[in-house]
Amino acid sequence: MNTLRLILFLMLFPLAVMAQENKSFMWKAKVKHGSILIGGNADASIQKTTRELNLPLGPEEGTNILANLNFKGGYFPLHDFAIGVDIGLSHDSYIVSVEGAKQSFRQTYLLAGPFTRYYLDNGVFGELNLKGGLLSLSSGGSKTNIAQGALGVGYALFVNEKIAVEPMLSFRYTREWRGDNANVSFGPVLGVGVQAYLWRKTSHTIKESL
């Protein structure tokens, strides 16, 4: 009897280990519908900018250094597909050379808008977000309309079944305008974030329920 138990144990143990390995591997990928995403990220960029606002002599080009702190909340109506709201606090410093001397202008603004995400099985995801708002603080004190859109690719590296660290590279377009004049910035943005996936299920569980 003991010999039979030992044989069964040796036969079943590799299968149990394999199942656990497969399940832990799946943690890096799918998110079950009905889950909630809560978190945020910080990012920064250096972009070329064309400015027309408050420049009666014509547009000028310079360099824009931008830092952002973003907060996200989303819901998964489908497996791997999330929609939600992205709120961002941005601070940028615009540097331009005038007659050989560098001048710097700084401003801070708050933007909000929708975002969507889709995840692949290997943890790679794509994200699109669109945000808008009014300039809240500026050196000139006048209000300016702002619109921003970004398209990026990131990777969800799950440290456990609920928490992921997510590096991301995106391309962002920002337009500030007042009347017929506008400031436009476009360029790559590199960032990293931490997200919590509440009520998240592994894809192993999802496949069993399908």
Side-chain angles (χ1 to χ4, degrees):
M1 180 63 70
N2 291 334
T3 303
L4 180 59
R5 289 177 180 176
L6 178 60
I7 294 174
L8 289 175
F9 175 80
L10 293 176
M11 292 176 61
L12 295 177
F13 180 75
L15 296 177
V17 172
M18 183 180 299
Q20 290 183 2
E21 290 177 349
N22 288 341
K23 185 175 180 180
S24 64
F25 175 79
M26 292 296 187
W27 282 2
K28 301 177 182 179
K30 281 192 178 272
V31 182
K32 183 177 173 60
H33 72 88
S35 295
I36 293 177
L37 179 152
I38 297 177
N41 69 288
D43 57 51
S45 66
I46 299 177
Q47 303 173 347
K48 291 295 184 180
T49 303
T50 300
R51 299 174 68 92
E52 298 176 344
L53 296 179
N54 302 321
L55 296 172
L57 299 180
E60 64 182 19
E61 294 185 352
T63 301
N64 202 36
I65 301 175
L66 182 65
N68 303 278
L69 187 61
N70 304 296
F71 304 92
K72 287 185 172 70
Y75 176 76
F76 287 80
L78 302 171
H79 295 330
D80 299 332
F81 178 73
I83 58 175
V85 176
D86 188 352
I87 300 175
L89 181 64
S90 300
H91 178 79
D92 64 52
S93 177
Y94 174 70
I95 302 173
V96 62
S97 295
V98 179
E99 297 181 352
K102 290 186 177 181
Q103 295 184 3
S104 178
F105 304 90
R106 295 179 176 86
Q107 61 186 19
T108 302
Y109 47 89
L110 183 68
L111 302 177
F115 79 92
T116 62
R117 275 190 179 189
Y118 184 78
Y119 294 74
L120 300 179
D121 288 347
N122 58 7
V124 174
F125 64 86
E127 178 177 307
L128 171 67
N129 67 64
L130 301 171
K131 291 186 283 193
L134 290 174
L135 191 62
S136 59
L137 299 173
S138 69
S139 57
S142 57
K143 292 184 178 181
T144 303
N145 296 305
I146 304 176
Q148 187 179 91
L151 181 64
V153 176
Y155 178 72
L157 178 62
F158 284 94
V159 296
N160 57 39
E161 195 173 354
K162 302 293 184 183
I163 305 297
V165 177
E166 300 179 348
M168 185 174 177
L169 175 64
S170 60
F171 285 86
R172 180 175 295 160
Y173 174 87
T174 303
R175 186 174 187 267
E176 308 170 30
W177 75 95
R178 188 169 61 249
D180 295 331
N181 296 323
N183 298 340
V184 177
S185 300
F186 176 77
V189 180
L190 184 63
V192 63
V194 177
Q195 310 293 339
Y197 294 79
L198 306 182
W199 301 304
R200 179 177 179 271
K201 301 289 186 178
T202 65
S203 61
H204 178 77
T205 304
I206 294 173
K207 290 179 180 178
E208 288 180 350
S209 65
L210 294 178

